[in-house]
Amino acid sequence: MGTAAKYHVYASTLKKIPRPKCICFYNGTDEQPEKKVFRLSEAYDGKGDVEVTVTMLNINYSRNKKLMDSCKPLYEYSWIVNEIRQNRGDNLEETIDKVINSIPEDFIIRSFIMGHRAEVKGMFLTKWNQEKVLQQEREDSLEQGREQGIAEGITRMVAGMLKKNLPRPMIAEISNLPDEVIANIASQL
């Protein structure tokens, strides 16, 4: 009988299952340790009932030597990513083609990559486009933060002038804000 027959949905006794091990591979460009454990509870606002840990392994080229020595295909993938990063020119698609063409003959994953070239190329293009989008989102977030900080600073400045009973026309001239904005700030004091 197969394993499925051992587990009955309505069983009244505890049935042991294999222990799950959650692992994620990191090959981004931010500096990361070779191994790091993340805990779901670190994201909780307060206490929670569930704890899950995920072990992140840094698979960037020249990192995690022991892991890379024990898993040649992972090392080879890391080499390919590194080659794309190191040789990236203006045309990402051309760079990916050149790197794929330069994969050493003795690489285990070479035949797979050559046989699935279009999918592999699409995966790398998607990955780099995703990195570009994430970078743009970070830059946009910083810009929004700066703008919000400036707006808060101006609001505080105007509020301070209003509390000192400076005339609104003078505040408008100093702050270069329309009277309606100044009136709005005044109404919140």
Side-chain angles (χ1 to χ4, degrees), residues 153-164 171 185-186 189:
I154 291 171
T155 301
R156 284 190 196 127
M157 178 187 73
V158 169
M161 289 188 278
L162 287 165
K163 287 177 183 176
K164 290 181 179 180
I171 296 172
I185 295 170
L189 296 177

Side-chain angles (χ1 to χ4, degrees), residues 20-26 36 53-57 59 67:
K21 181 94 172 144
C22 300
I23 296 176
C24 75
F25 292 126
Y26 175 80
K36 184 175 182 179
T53 61
V54 177
T55 302
M56 179 201 71
L57 299 172
I59 61 164
L67 174 63

Side-chain angles (χ1 to χ4, degrees), residues 8 36 77 98 139 184:
H8 189 278
K36 184 175 182 179
Y77 171 77
K98 286 177 186 174
E139 289 171 11
N184 185 31

Side-chain angles (χ1 to χ4, degrees), residues 26-27 32-35 56-60 63-64 68:
Y26 175 80
N27 71 342
Q32 293 291 334
E34 293 197 352
K35 179 180 180 180
M56 179 201 71
L57 299 172
N58 188 339
I59 61 164
N60 278 301
R63 298 301 298 263
N64 259 322
M68 296 300 179

Side-chain angles (χ1 to χ4, degrees), residues 56-131:
M56 179 201 71
L57 299 172
N58 188 339
I59 61 164
N60 278 301
Y61 192 70
S62 77
R63 298 301 298 263
N64 259 322
K65 183 169 174 29
K66 186 177 177 183
L67 174 63
M68 296 300 179
D69 288 346
S70 67
C71 184
K72 195 166 184 324
L74 193 56
Y75 164 81
E76 294 169 0
Y77 171 77
S78 174
W79 179 89
I80 292 167
V81 171
N82 187 64
E83 287 295 304
I84 293 171
R85 283 185 182 140
Q86 297 301 315
N87 298 297
R88 184 159 179 201
D90 292 335
N91 188 324
L92 179 59
E93 200 166 343
E94 282 179 17
T95 301
I96 293 168
D97 276 328
K98 286 177 186 174
V99 170
I100 289 174
N101 291 335
S102 72
I103 296 173
E105 294 289 333
D106 66 335
F107 271 29
I108 295 168
I109 64 174
R110 187 183 199 309
S111 63
F112 175 84
I113 288 177
M114 294 302 189
H116 297 87
R117 186 182 194 104
E119 294 92 340
V120 170
K121 208 166 134 178
M123 177 195 71
F124 281 118
L125 287 169
T126 300
K127 178 189 177 352
W128 262 272
N129 286 338
Q130 181 182 21
E131 283 181 8

